[in-house]
Amino acid sequence: MDIIAQLFAGLSLGSVLLLAALGLSLTFGQMGVINMAHGEFMMAGAYTAFVVQGVVGDAGVSLLLALPLGFVVGGLLGLLLEATLIHRMYRRPLDTLLVTWGVALVLQQVARDVFGAPNVDVRAPAWLSGAVQIGGLALPRTRLFILTLAIVCVVALALALRATPLGRRIRAVVQNRDLAEASGISSRATDRVTFFIGSGLAGVAGVALTLLGSIGPTLGTNYIVDAFLVVVAGGIGQIKGTVIAATALGLMQSFFEYSTTASVAKVLVFVTIVAFLQLRPQGLVSVRTRSLA
Amino acid sequence: MLELSGVTTGYGRTMVVHDVDLTVPDGALTAVLGHNGAGKTTLLRAVLGLLPVRGGTVRLAGEDVTALAPHKRVRRGIAYVPQGQQSFGQLSARENLQVVADAHGRAGRRRTDEALDLFPALRELLGRQAGLLSGGQRQQLAIARALVTGPRLLVLDEPVEGIQPNVVTEIYDAISTLTAAGSLSVLLVEQHIGYAVEHAAEFAVLTSGRVAHRGQGGGEGASADARKALAL
Ligand SMILES: Nc1ncnc2c1ncn2[C@@H]1O[C@H](COP(=O)(O)OP(=O)(O)OP(=O)(O)O)[C@@H](O)[C@H]1O
Ligand SMILES: [Mg+2]
């Protein structure tokens, strides 16, 4: 029984990591942008849920409204950042890292000024309170909701990339920017859309996080490193890898925690990933191609 | 169709192409010949706008396109088949054509069919990942993809480099078919004299980034003339 409980805890943690990392698998994995403000886009999504609840009142309705709105808020922040700063430094990852880190700090301060430094709470809707009982095991409804949301987001993103004109365009620009331009495709416009979607997913993740506890201006800092780890371990540019890595990290953390403590588990997970990347620097899932182009 | 005047371009501070004048008359084929490193690809990248020019102008059908982004030049009728059989390697062959057709609406879909009629062998390969096709197949795909944009001017960079002889014939035949109607102009870069000089109205020999020689293609002495200019 214990094992199943740990398994569920791990999957649940994995789904949170996955939501945090999914957008990064686009902006970092596909576009190669190290956006340290990704966590703050999550934070913005969380505060979007807070504001919407203040306006709407009903927790259920506000959650369902906040998910798409969080996407738009995160997406617009990303778009703004891309259009003003990031696009100037596409070939300079270190500059991007420093600048977006600065932006992250600014966004945290803005949140502090607008919403105050103390954490705030977003009420979960009644239909997500309590737990589902399965054979003596209590699975919290909020956790099940986040698990489902993560699956929905992954499937939606995978389908959008695989089967829509926009998805084709994004993949083409990522693979060969010059060739895309020389085929009549605007790479700048495509970059903006890609960044919008990736940042929007951070917003959705932020909304989901309000179900797990109170939120504050530094919410994003708790997730940013793990999210990058997931994308790197999964294999850059591969959604499949991101899914596997997030799940594996969640499970590892959960099972290590079971036998040690949370912070020791964290260290163990970190060491495992570093060791794994020594053996397989390209990550779990790597690209199969004959020529680079 | 295309008119380059005084085009100078390069990488960073190093200029590779100097003061090149070149025209491609409407419906004609102009060839640019030159040895490895002469600056042929660099010149073509400037024609497409993938490389900014440091001096001179690029005019397409009378319009100055020197400051336009590459995709806008393509919209105005330049299509480019870069050197090295390039493709969107992880997309399927079909997607390679679709992604370009998407940007051109219904005309894009019609032209996809026409391009596949030109290279019927591609139809069997549409489901395959482009990066895993052979060099010859990828080059046919690259030409088909360029045609989907609906060009008035087709720019080809060494289209048969490293390709086996029977496919070379197919590719040259396709180019001849395309130009036969007289509505498509071609700028063809080659290291080898054969097809280019035979079919070109005019050719230019590029040496160290400068036009070292100009000649008329087709006629009796043309290939001897080109051979001499290339010091072969
Ligand atoms: N990306 C680049 N950065 C710096 N220099 C470059 C770059 N690409 C090409 N060059 C230099 O520019 C010069 C011309 O190169 P280019 O590729 O235009 O030659 P080419 O005539 O196309 O040769 P080939 O027949 O081998 O394709 C060469 O000296 C090359 O080293
Ligand atoms: Mg070349």
Side-chain angles (χ1 to χ4, degrees), chain B residues 11 16 34-43 83 157-158 191:
Chain B
Y11 305 90
V16 170
H35 294 294
N36 286 126
K40 306 181 295 296
T41 298
T42 307
L43 178 66
Q83 188 170 11
D157 194 348
E158 302 196 36
Q191 278 193 49

Side-chain angles (χ1 to χ4, degrees), chain A residues 171 175 181 184 288 290 293, chain B residues 71 75 87 90 95 129 131:
Chain A
R171 285 182 293 141
Q175 280 171 44
E181 272 285 334
R288 184 176 61 118
R290 187 152 160 177
Chain B
H71 71 272
R75 295 293 168 85
S87 64
Q90 289 177 62
E95 288 176 320
Q129 190 181 324

Side-chain angles (χ1 to χ4, degrees), chain B residues 158-178:
Chain B
E158 302 196 36
V160 301
E161 184 192 26
I163 285 173
Q164 68 182 65
N166 60 330
V167 183
V168 168
T169 317
E170 278 178 44
I171 288 175
Y172 280 145
D173 285 350
I175 298 173
S176 299
T177 309
L178 289 167

Side-chain angles (χ1 to χ4, degrees), chain A residues 204-226:
Chain A
V204 171
V207 175
L209 286 180
T210 62
L211 294 171
L212 295 181
S214 52
I215 56 162
T218 57
L219 174 81
T221 52
N222 302 329
Y223 290 93
I224 188 71
V225 175
D226 287 353

Side-chain angles (χ1 to χ4, degrees), chain B residues 13-188:
Chain B
R13 293 219 180 88
T14 337
M15 290 302 114
V16 170
V17 166
H18 309 272
D19 199 22
V20 168
D21 295 331
L22 194 74
T23 57
V24 182
D26 287 359
L29 188 152
T30 296
V32 174
L33 305 168
H35 294 294
N36 286 126
K40 306 181 295 296
T41 298
T42 307
L43 178 66
L44 294 192
R45 288 176 64 78
V47 169
L48 260 294
L50 293 167
L51 206 57
V53 300
R54 288 302 171 80
T57 56
V58 179
R59 304 180 79 84
L60 180 73
E63 183 194 3
D64 187 344
V65 297
T66 317
L68 283 187
H71 71 272
K72 292 193 174 145
R73 300 188 196 196
V74 174
R75 295 293 168 85
R76 281 168 175 68
I78 306 186
Y80 181 41
V81 179
Q83 188 170 11
Q85 301 123 26
Q86 291 186 39
S87 64
F88 302 113
Q90 289 177 62
L91 272 61
S92 69
R94 179 180 289 108
E95 288 176 320
N96 265 265
L97 301 174
Q98 273 177 334
V99 74
V100 180
D102 290 341
H104 296 85
R106 187 171 301 161
R109 283 197 292 281
R110 175 175 50 75
R111 291 194 291 254
T112 305
D113 279 332
E114 291 169 6
L116 288 173
D117 288 342
L118 197 61
F119 298 113
L122 279 182
R123 286 193 194 274
E124 310 300 311
L125 306 168
L126 287 177
R128 300 261 289 274
Q129 190 181 324
L132 300 175
L133 296 176
S134 76
Q137 292 166 340
R138 257 184 296 144
Q139 187 67 318
Q140 294 182 329
L141 180 63
I143 297 174
R145 195 179 46 230
L147 293 174
V148 174
T149 65
R152 297 187 280 174
L153 172 72
L154 183 60
V155 177
L156 297 151
D157 194 348
E158 302 196 36
V160 301
E161 184 192 26
I163 285 173
Q164 68 182 65
N166 60 330
V167 183
V168 168
T169 317
E170 278 178 44
I171 288 175
Y172 280 145
D173 285 350
I175 298 173
S176 299
T177 309
L178 289 167
T179 47
S183 54
L184 184 70
S185 317
V186 175
L187 177 56
L188 175 63

Side-chain angles (χ1 to χ4, degrees), chain A residues 72-145:
Chain A
V72 173
V73 167
L76 288 178
L77 284 173
L79 202 58
L80 192 68
L81 183 62
E82 202 278 345
T84 52
L85 296 171
I86 289 177
H87 87 95
R88 290 168 210 277
M89 29 189 113
Y90 269 123
R91 295 205 180 94
R92 289 177 287 156
L94 208 57
D95 293 2
T96 313
L97 189 152
L98 289 174
V99 165
T100 56
W101 188 52
V103 170
L105 295 179
V106 170
L107 286 175
Q108 287 171 25
Q109 190 54 43
V110 169
R112 242 173 246 122
D113 291 345
V114 176
F115 300 102
N119 284 4
V120 297
D121 279 303
V122 180
R123 276 174 297 115
W127 43 271
L128 284 183
S129 67
V132 177
Q133 298 289 336
I134 296 178
L137 199 67
L139 312 179
R141 285 206 165 86
T142 48
R143 295 261 171 196
L144 286 172
F145 180 82

